[in-house]
């Protein structure tokens, strides 16, 4: 029997049984709370340990990735591959390396990597469908960097797109600069599919200026005057053949071609010099340059 000290009397057996049940319930709940607390503490310890391991994986992974990137860069430098291609490959190695590190860390902290890879694959497919044009340009950039039809510094002409000096080759665009300091950005997809004329394999370029004379003029005299202009050109390379030829017999004129070789950096200076001084020389020597004429006949009825 349990004695009720407050009331100064004994407690009945029924009340005693109820109290014991309440005490048992309380003890059970306390045990559950204690076990829950132990479980939470264990999970926090495990999670903290996983975070610690993940941090170690990140640090070690970055060190290994840095070593791999340096080794790849040294290998590419020895192979004398283009600088733009070297940067591109280094970027791919960096992205792939961090991808492996992130997946490893996710697996360590309990994230399902299978679902993550599937999600990344679906996202990649969706992005690829949305960016088909950009991917085409990307593929063109890869083709240009590895086949190297031209490199930075070359003077090229891309059919129907423009011409100029290659400033840089990115993964999406090839950037050209013209002699009047304009910048032309051409999508790599178009560059890869177009006819490319490169003028930088030789130090010299052929400069040709066309000028017409009438059929009544003396061809030999015109060629002699034009030859003098060529010989006096300050941009001429004297050890190469430079001459005047009859390019074409047209309907109303004889087309002459004044040809000389000049340094590729002086191409336009030489061309503009020929255009101006041929006109002056022909005027001074009374050589007629024909031009299109339109005869209008008015008939009165």
């Amino acid at each position: 029997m349990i004695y009720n000290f407050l009331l100064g009397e004994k407690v009945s057996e029924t009340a005693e049984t109820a109290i014991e049940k309440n005490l048992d319930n309380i003890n059970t709940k306390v045990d559950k709370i204690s076990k829950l607390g132990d479980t939470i503490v264990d999970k926090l310890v495990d999670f903290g340990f996983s975070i610690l391991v993940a941090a170690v994986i990140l640090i070690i992974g970055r060190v290994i990735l840095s070593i791999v990137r340096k080794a790849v860069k040294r290998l590419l430098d020895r192979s004398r591959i283009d600088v733009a291609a070297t940067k591109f490959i280094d970027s791919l190695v960096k992205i792939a390396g961090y991808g492996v590190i992130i997946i490893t860390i996710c697996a360590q902290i309990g994230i399902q990597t299978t679902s993550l890879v599937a999600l990344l694959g679906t996202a990649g497919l969706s992005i690829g469908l949305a960016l088909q044009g950009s991917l085409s340009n990307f593929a063109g950039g890869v083709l240009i960097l590895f086949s190297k039809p031209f490199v930075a510094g070359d003077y090229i002409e891309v059919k129907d797109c423009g011409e100029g000096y290659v400033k840089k080759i990115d993964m999406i665009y090839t950037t050209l600069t013209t002699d009047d300091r304009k910048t032309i950005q051409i999508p790599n997809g178009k560059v890869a599919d177009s006819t490319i004329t490169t003028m930088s394999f030789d130090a010299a370029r052929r400069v040709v200026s066309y000028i017409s004379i009438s059929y009544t003029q003396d061809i030999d005299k015109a060629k002699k005057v034009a030859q003098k202009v060529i010989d006096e050109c300050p941009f001429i390379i004297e050890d190469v053949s430079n001459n005047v030829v009859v390019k074409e017999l047209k309907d109303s004129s004889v087309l002459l071609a004044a040809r000389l070789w000049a340094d590729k950096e002086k191409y336009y200076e030489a061309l503009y010099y020929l255009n101006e001084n041929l006109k002056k020389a022909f005027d001074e020597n009374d050589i007629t340059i024909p031009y299109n004429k339109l005869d209008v006949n008015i008939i009165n009825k």
Side-chain angles (χ1 to χ4, degrees), residues 39-57 105 108-110:
T39 303
I40 292 174
V41 171
D42 291 339
K43 289 186 176 181
L44 287 175
V45 172
D46 293 339
F47 182 73
F49 180 74
S50 298
I51 293 296
L52 179 61
V53 174
V56 173
I57 291 173
I105 291 174
Q108 175 61 36
I109 63 179

Side-chain angles (χ1 to χ4, degrees), residues 19 175 181 212 261 291:
I19 292 172
T175 303
R181 297 185 179 180
S212 297
W261 288 91
Y291 53 89

Side-chain angles (χ1 to χ4, degrees), residues 155-157 163-165 177-180 199 205 207 235 262-275:
Y155 190 94
I156 67 170
E157 178 184 358
E163 64 178 89
Y165 292 95
T177 55
T178 63
D179 287 291
D180 54 354
M199 295 91 163
R205 285 186 64 182
V207 183
F235 308 105
D263 290 333
K264 60 185 180 182
E265 291 82 6
K266 300 296 183 180
Y267 173 82
Y268 284 102
E269 287 89 338
L271 178 61
Y272 300 151
Y273 177 90
L274 285 181
N275 290 342

Side-chain angles (χ1 to χ4, degrees), residues 22-150:
N22 290 333
L23 290 175
D24 289 338
N25 290 334
I26 292 172
N27 290 332
T28 301
K29 292 180 179 180
V30 170
D31 290 339
K32 289 182 179 180
I33 293 172
S34 177
K35 290 179 181 179
L36 179 61
D38 293 339
T39 303
I40 292 174
V41 171
D42 291 339
K43 289 186 176 181
L44 287 175
V45 172
D46 293 339
F47 182 73
F49 180 74
S50 298
I51 293 296
L52 179 61
V53 174
V56 173
I57 291 173
L58 177 61
I59 295 172
I60 295 176
R62 291 184 65 179
V63 172
I64 294 175
L65 179 58
S66 177
I67 294 173
V68 171
R69 289 176 65 189
K70 289 180 181 178
V72 172
K73 189 175 184 301
R74 284 197 297 269
L75 181 62
L76 294 174
D77 290 341
R78 290 176 183 175
S79 64
R80 297 180 180 179
I81 195 170
D82 187 64
V83 176
T86 300
K87 292 181 179 180
F88 170 66
I89 295 174
D90 180 65
S91 299
L92 288 183
V93 172
K94 181 178 178 181
I95 293 171
Y98 274 109
V100 172
I101 293 172
I102 291 172
I103 291 175
T104 305
I105 291 174
C106 290
Q108 175 61 36
I109 63 179
I111 298 176
Q112 293 295 328
T113 55
T114 304
S115 301
L116 179 61
V117 172
L119 179 62
L120 291 176
T122 303
L125 179 61
S126 301
I127 294 172
L129 292 174
L131 300 175
Q132 292 183 15
S134 297
L135 290 177
S136 174
N137 294 330
F138 177 82
V142 174
L143 182 63
I144 292 169
L145 290 174
F146 284 95
S147 63
K148 294 195 293 187
F150 53 84

